[in-house]
Amino acid sequence: MDELLTWLKAQHNGLRTYKNFQQKVLNLAGSDREHVALYQILALLVGRFIDSYEEHPLTGDVADQAFDHLIEITEKAAASQRAAPAEQLATLNAIAAADLG
């Protein structure tokens, strides 16, 4: 997850980054079974964003805000992997309720 976060911070805020992010978390879901729910929820979050903006260009403000929010969510997700189960569940719920757009 730390590698994913490092990769994300080095990316551009365009739609291709979200598609690549989604693929990366789905790959992680297949290899890190202990945190599969976290990766699947991140993939769903990004998928909703992709679906919302795939046909429409992103404005600069929307792109910047969404990208900053995704980085923030990914930071919380990475930190939650080392947290107590109750905090992990709270993070999963927060990500499931989040919206990037």
Side-chain angles (χ1 to χ4, degrees):
M1 183 64 119
D2 291 331
E3 287 179 25
L4 176 68
L5 184 56
T6 300
W7 170 85
L8 181 60
K9 288 180 177 181
Q11 299 305 303
H12 181 267
N13 63 5
L15 203 53
R16 181 177 306 278
T17 296
Y18 293 92
K19 291 178 181 180
N20 290 339
F21 180 90
Q22 185 179 42
Q23 187 58 54
K24 286 179 177 291
V25 293
L26 290 173
N27 289 343
L28 287 169
S31 63
D32 182 4
R33 304 303 291 172
E34 184 178 349
H35 299 106
V36 69
L38 176 62
Y39 299 125
Q40 290 289 341
I41 291 172
L42 285 168
L44 289 171
L45 170 68
V46 171
R48 289 191 310 260
F49 184 77
I50 292 167
D51 290 345
S52 295
Y53 289 97
E54 192 152 36
E55 299 293 323
H56 312 292
L58 291 169
T59 65
D61 289 344
V62 169
D64 290 343
Q65 289 174 0
F67 191 68
D68 290 346
H69 196 120
L70 180 59
I71 289 172
E72 179 183 309
I73 288 170
T74 306
E75 288 172 337
K76 289 178 183 177
S80 79
Q81 289 183 317
R82 298 175 288 280
E87 188 176 332
Q88 288 182 27
L89 182 58
T91 300
L92 290 173
N93 285 328
I95 294 170
D99 185 17
L100 296 175

